[in-house]
Amino acid sequence: MNERWSRQSFLGAESEQVLGNAIIGIVGLCGGGSHIAQQSAHVGVGNFVCADYDHVDESNLPRMVGSRPEDAKELISKTAVIKRTIHLVNPTANVMLVEGQWYAQERFFRNCTAIFGCVDNFAARDELERFCRRYLIPYIDVGMDVHEVSNGFSISGQVITSLPGGPCMRCLGFITDAKLAEEQRRYGAAGGRPQVVWPNGVLASIAVGQMVGLLRPWNRDLKPSVMIEYDGNRQICRESTKLLYLADKPCSHFSGPDAVGDPFYSADNNNRGQTAISR
Amino acid sequence: MKISFRITRAMLARVHADLSRPHAFAAERVAFLSCGAAALHDDGLLLLAEAHHPVADEHYIDDPRVGATIGSAAFRTVLQIAYNRPISVFHIHRYEHIGVPRFSPIDLRESTRFVPDFFKVRPERPHGVLVFSHDALSGLCWYPGRKTPVPITEVSVVGYVTPTRWGTA
């Protein structure tokens, strides 16, 4: 094993190859996504598909790993900053950038080994999970929030690992039609929501651990939890108690006929792919 | 053309459980997998295992020359599914060893006989054959408009604990 990876040799002799061949999708590249990109590069992931429609601004600098004041001044895209961050760690990584909405270039995500969702609304999470279920891709969702409470503020968050066939975000009650409807009703009224670097870092680290655990389990009994909740006031993480009620219950939301693959697939249109992308 | 095959660990376990069942006279079992299909950005093809379709006991034919022979009723059953829904059909069986399996001459000869029937009901979809071992698989995919099959070059098992030997033919 290469000296570079000697301290993570417990991941197995093939870990360098497995992680080097992995293709990681990251949607949302600011708070959580920037940590995930950097850590994935450090751990040896060799291929990235990174999507964000935004550029860096001053309010991103306190939490976006790798961003610099001049990026905000020059309105550098978040994708460009992430590419630079990854290449600082792993210059040979293949970094594919989607500058815009991820679903506009969704074909590039179909071949991902895992996709991280670092988005800030339920509708986007719902879209990502639906996509991942259709193409049998593990989806790892990262989210945090800060709420005002009577004695100050409460920081909370979660990491959900949604695997095809396993409990989904609807099974967990994390996404419901009512939440989606309420979000749609309040669309545009929320404004900038509080975000800080350390909860993002905690949650992103757990998410990267989930991904590595899937690809290179380091313990025979390792079974990463489907939902880990973060109490940012007490600085603790724990498995969600919702899982007690879901044990061995199959997911009913993404099953049945025509649940996988392109529903309109035909060999005639197999090679009509998307082309607008920067590397 | 790069062809990738993806299956969940749970479905893979169901496949192996089914293929492990003894039969009254057949030395091995065969089955079918229905798959979804999707284009990849690089002109590749992604096959996604959707459902496992065991062959009924009574659809086997007693033929001691080979491990298993199935009759037209078995094929009619899976063709009916493909007629009703847009799926790719893959015939599957297993060799009782570990390591990457290879198709036998009989596998190759027979598959060129029955795979064309899959195109009669779903001409727009790719179809093919898969052979499993206990820890690997190989696959051949017939693509619409191409006469010779293309090997499946990448296999992914999605779920907890990724074994090290799932690979390519």
Side-chain angles (χ1 to χ4, degrees), chain A residues 28 35-36 40 53 60 83 87-88 109-110 121-123 126 136 155 187 205 219 231 242 244 252 269:
Chain A
H35 286 273
I36 287 169
S40 298
Y53 61 86
N60 300 140
K83 183 176 182 178
H87 279 161
L88 280 172
F109 289 90
R110 291 181 181 181
N121 64 81
F122 289 114
D126 191 39
L136 301 181
I155 301 175
Y187 180 76
S205 294
N219 182 299
D231 177 342
K242 294 185 177 82
L244 294 172
S252 61
N269 60 23

Side-chain angles (χ1 to χ4, degrees), chain A residues 134 256-267 269, chain B residues 33-38 45-51 53 78-90 118-127:
Chain A
R134 180 157 289 282
D258 308 324
V260 299
D262 183 345
F264 306 109
Y265 179 83
S266 168
N269 60 23
Chain B
L33 272 181
S34 56
C35 295
L45 171 67
L46 177 61
L47 296 164
L48 301 132
E50 177 218 49
H53 307 281
V78 73
L79 290 177
Q80 183 67 45
I81 297 168
Y83 180 75
N84 291 336
R85 295 195 291 115
I87 54 169
S88 294
V89 178
F90 281 78
F118 302 157
F119 285 93
K120 290 175 183 167
V121 286
R122 282 290 158 198
E124 79 282 10
R125 295 248 165 183
H127 305 285

Side-chain angles (χ1 to χ4, degrees), chain A residues 106-128:
Chain A
E106 55 89 16
R107 271 198 186 183
F108 291 94
F109 289 90
R110 291 181 181 181
N111 210 26
C112 282
T113 313
I115 293 178
F116 293 94
C118 306
V119 294
D120 61 0
N121 64 81
F122 289 114
R125 290 183 163 99
D126 191 39
E127 289 162 357
L128 277 165

Side-chain angles (χ1 to χ4, degrees), chain A residues 36 114-118 122 125-126 128-129 132-133 137-144 157-164 166-176 179 203-204 206-208 210-211 214 224-230 238-240 242-243 246 254, chain B residues 160:
Chain A
I36 287 169
I115 293 178
F116 293 94
C118 306
F122 289 114
R125 290 183 163 99
D126 191 39
L128 277 165
E129 186 178 51
C132 288
R133 292 283 171 146
I137 301 169
Y139 174 62
I140 305 175
D141 185 90
V142 178
M144 67 150 287
Q158 70 289 318
V159 176
I160 296 174
T161 303
S162 170
L163 293 181
C168 70
M169 293 195 287
R170 286 178 181 267
C171 295
L172 293 162
F174 184 70
I175 287 182
T176 64
K179 284 182 183 176
L203 294 162
I206 291 171
V208 172
Q210 298 283 70
M211 178 268 291
L214 276 168
S225 179
V226 172
M227 184 173 188
I228 295 170
E229 293 172 336
Y230 171 63
R238 65 189 162 220
E239 187 171 66
S240 171
K242 294 185 177 82
L243 298 171
L246 289 172
F254 296 99
Chain B
Y160 292 119

Side-chain angles (χ1 to χ4, degrees), chain A residues 57-170:
Chain A
D57 64 33
E58 285 287 326
S59 72
N60 300 140
L61 297 178
R63 69 182 190 282
M64 183 177 179
V65 171
S67 65
R68 304 183 302 202
E70 49 267 42
D71 297 328
K73 284 191 187 119
E74 296 169 22
L75 303 179
I76 302 295
S77 69
K78 289 178 180 175
T79 53
V81 171
I82 289 303
K83 183 176 182 178
R84 182 181 70 206
T85 303
I86 292 169
H87 279 161
L88 280 172
V89 178
N90 181 2
T92 62
N94 176 31
V95 186
M96 197 174 278
L97 303 180
V98 177
E99 295 174 11
Q101 299 290 1
W102 70 273
Y103 45 77
Q105 303 287 351
E106 55 89 16
R107 271 198 186 183
F108 291 94
F109 289 90
R110 291 181 181 181
N111 210 26
C112 282
T113 313
I115 293 178
F116 293 94
C118 306
V119 294
D120 61 0
N121 64 81
F122 289 114
R125 290 183 163 99
D126 191 39
E127 289 162 357
L128 277 165
E129 186 178 51
R130 286 176 186 277
F131 175 85
C132 288
R133 292 283 171 146
R134 180 157 289 282
Y135 296 104
L136 301 181
I137 301 169
Y139 174 62
I140 305 175
D141 185 90
V142 178
M144 67 150 287
D145 219 339
V146 180
H147 302 279
E148 188 165 6
V149 291
S150 60
N151 57 347
F153 292 90
S154 170
I155 301 175
S156 61
Q158 70 289 318
V159 176
I160 296 174
T161 303
S162 170
L163 293 181
C168 70
M169 293 195 287
R170 286 178 181 267

Side-chain angles (χ1 to χ4, degrees), chain B residues 23-43:
Chain B
H23 186 272
F25 52 79
E28 62 174 306
R29 283 192 182 265
V30 300
F32 296 96
L33 272 181
S34 56
C35 295
L40 295 175
H41 68 89
D42 54 0
D43 195 26

